[in-house]
Amino acid sequence: TTHDKLKKFFFLLLICFSCELNESSDKNYVARVGDNYLNHSDLNNLIPSKISFTDSTSLANKIILEWATSELLIQSAQINLSENEKILIDKKSKKYRDNLILSEYKNKISKNNRDTIIFEYEIQDFFDKNSKNFKLYNEIVKGRYLKLNNSNFNINEIKRRFSRFNTIDKAFFDSISIQLLNYSFNDSTWVDKSLFFNKIPSLNDDEIRRIIKNNLFYMKEDSLALYLIKINKYKKANEYAPLDYIYGRIRELIANRKRINYLKKIEKELIDDAITKNIYEKID
């Protein structure tokens, strides 16, 4: 608020990190180290508006001390580092900056470029040719579950609709979702078996094996809740992964390959154009 800002401002006027403030300078900064200054506005921007005056005072002191310590260390480094060490730092800084610029530019020119567009047939073709290279490390399932209070008066209808689960039933569960303690109805997506069954802690390993082996509709009740589970599909570890499970990975692989090829093409065109225009030459 404006009131909080004013409180901070008047406080900051009182904390003077330098003993040599003059009439004009104390309106502009709260601390000085040599010729470097920490301005009121910079400090104020680092302090949240919705904190108490005491907290803002403590935070301001901490920020000023950290800033001063950093500035003093930098000044000490400037004195104690050799010229060769400083030159090496400058070279590293330039290389780091250049790499950032190049990375940003490459991302920009390759994003949404025609040469980097991925088509569905490419993903299918890649999968057909490389499916044996994608084996599952864990068991995966497609299924749904819900957890509800076992005193729910509508429990028989919920069981019937959960087992059938047609379009009308899905709309029904949308309408009563606030009554459900927990649920997952996205049964067309593969998920790790452990992640799926961790949501149903009262099931033991034998029950889980029986459910997934037989694609069962299963009910489990404990003292607190009733769980309904339906497994539609199941894949064992070391089986080949289905396409819809690794779709994202394949898409990313193709995207990276296209991006690399496109950037190589751009780099070659740049060199060829520079040679033609006599901008670039290689001296043997």
Side-chain angles (χ1 to χ4, degrees):
T1 64
T2 304
H3 180 65
D4 289 329
K5 292 282 187 180
L6 283 173
K7 283 200 300 184
K8 288 177 196 166
F9 179 75
F10 285 121
F11 162 71
L12 294 174
L13 285 174
L14 296 174
I15 51 173
C16 172
F17 206 78
S18 169
C19 297
E20 300 176 0
L21 298 179
N22 56 43
E23 185 176 355
S24 61
S25 66
D26 68 6
K27 296 179 181 178
N28 299 320
Y29 67 89
V30 293
R32 178 182 66 82
V33 173
D35 294 328
N36 295 325
Y37 300 89
L38 178 61
N39 296 325
H40 285 290
S41 58
D42 293 335
L43 179 59
N44 208 37
N45 288 335
L46 296 172
I47 300 175
S49 60
K50 296 182 179 179
I51 61 174
S52 68
F53 179 72
T54 302
D55 289 341
S56 66
T57 301
S58 176
L59 180 58
N61 283 327
K62 183 174 182 292
I63 292 169
I64 291 170
L65 183 60
E66 288 177 351
W67 175 85
T69 302
S70 176
E71 290 294 326
L72 289 167
L73 283 170
I74 291 170
Q75 290 188 14
S76 178
Q78 291 284 2
I79 295 169
N80 291 288
L81 289 175
S82 68
E83 288 304 314
N84 285 338
E85 287 171 325
K86 293 177 188 177
I87 290 170
L88 182 59
I89 289 171
D90 288 340
K91 288 181 178 178
K92 288 180 178 178
S93 298
K94 183 181 184 305
K95 185 175 182 180
Y96 178 68
R97 181 178 181 276
D98 289 346
N99 285 338
L100 283 177
I101 291 172
L102 284 171
S103 177
E104 191 69 26
Y105 180 61
K106 286 179 178 180
N107 286 336
K108 181 177 181 179
I109 63 175
S110 62
K111 188 177 182 180
N112 298 325
N113 185 278
R114 285 174 55 190
D115 288 352
T116 59
I117 293 173
I118 301 167
F119 299 96
E120 290 297 316
Y121 76 85
E122 293 176 302
I123 296 174
Q124 183 66 57
D125 186 58
F126 185 95
F127 176 75
D128 292 340
K129 292 177 179 177
N130 299 279
S131 60
K132 292 185 178 179
N133 295 326
F134 294 98
K135 282 194 173 182
L136 294 168
Y137 293 105
N138 303 307
E139 297 170 285
I140 59 174
V141 297
K142 282 185 177 182
R144 61 185 179 273
Y145 71 87
L146 69 79
K147 174 184 177 182
L148 72 158
N149 194 308
N150 49 19
S151 62
N152 191 300
F153 71 93
N154 211 17
I155 201 163
N156 287 328
E157 183 177 8
I158 288 173
K159 288 178 183 178
R160 179 174 59 83
R161 289 182 178 276
F162 181 86
S163 177
R164 186 176 58 189
F165 210 63
N166 61 21
T167 302
I168 296 173
D169 298 327
K170 292 175 184 179
F172 167 78
F173 282 114
D174 281 341
S175 69
I176 67 161
S177 60
I178 195 170
Q179 299 179 33
L180 307 178
L181 301 177
N182 199 357
Y183 62 90
S184 174
F185 296 142
N186 190 13
D187 57 3
S188 61
T189 300
W190 290 104
V191 296
D192 187 283
K193 185 197 79 172
S194 297
L195 291 175
F196 183 90
F197 284 102
N198 280 347
K199 306 285 187 178
I200 313 163
S202 60
L203 289 174
N204 60 46
D205 291 342
D206 286 338
E207 287 175 308
I208 292 173
R209 276 193 291 269
R210 192 162 74 254
I211 293 168
I212 61 177
K213 181 180 179 181
N214 298 297
N215 290 348
L216 288 177
F217 165 58
Y218 195 80
M219 293 181 288
K220 177 74 175 185
E221 187 171 5
D222 59 27
S223 60
L224 299 175
L226 174 69
Y227 299 89
L228 304 182
I229 308 111
K230 177 65 174 75
I231 297 299
N232 295 332
K233 290 185 179 180
Y234 164 65
K235 289 273 186 184
K236 298 178 183 177
N238 290 320
E239 286 190 51
Y240 297 130
L243 174 57
D244 50 346
Y245 185 65
I246 56 172
Y247 181 92
R249 286 169 59 192
I250 292 177
R251 195 179 194 286
E252 189 64 26
L253 285 169
I254 296 172
N256 287 336
R257 181 182 295 177
K258 285 197 164 194
R259 180 176 180 274
I260 290 169
N261 291 338
Y262 173 70
L263 291 174
K264 284 181 178 178
K265 173 188 169 186
I266 292 297
E267 289 166 2
K268 185 178 184 306
E269 289 175 354
L270 283 171
I271 291 292
D272 291 344
D273 186 57
I275 292 172
T276 301
K277 295 178 179 177
N278 201 28
I279 297 172
Y280 163 71
E281 62 175 325
K282 181 182 177 183
I283 311 299
D284 294 326

